[in-house]
Amino acid sequence: MKSMSQASLRKVTVIYYSDLSLELLHKVHEFPQSDSGRVIISDSFREGKSIIAVCDGEVDVLNKVGDRIIADHELGSTAKGAWQN
């Protein structure tokens, strides 16, 4: 049986909410994985987070919830009409 220091590491992207904010966040990190291939996320990393997803490898998050919210004052009058319909 491998010790934690000898365990293979797996690079993942963790998508989560911070307990301090409603903003959806993500972080690329390497974690050890079990013999069955399951990533073992430490309690210290989990602290203060609600994990939504764990993705294999480094993921480029192009858009997430809240990124496209535009204040009314930033919209032109034509766009405002389209949003209100």
Side-chain angles (χ1 to χ4, degrees), residues 11-16 25-31 45 49 53 55 57-59 61:
K11 184 185 282 188
V12 297
T13 300
V14 180
I15 300 173
Y16 63 94
L25 304 168
H26 67 283
K27 181 172 179 106
V28 177
H29 203 286
E30 287 188 349
F31 292 105
F45 182 86
K49 299 175 183 74
C55 306
E58 186 169 343
V59 175
V61 178

Side-chain angles (χ1 to χ4, degrees), residues 13-51:
T13 300
V14 180
I15 300 173
Y16 63 94
Y17 283 106
S18 167
D19 289 350
L20 302 175
S21 167
L22 292 177
E23 181 181 6
L24 191 62
L25 304 168
H26 67 283
K27 181 172 179 106
V28 177
H29 203 286
E30 287 188 349
F31 292 105
Q33 66 178 9
S34 68
D35 290 337
S36 65
R38 187 174 177 126
V39 176
I40 303 166
I41 300 176
S42 64
D43 289 340
S44 61
F45 182 86
R46 289 178 181 270
E47 188 174 330
K49 299 175 183 74
S50 295
I51 296 176

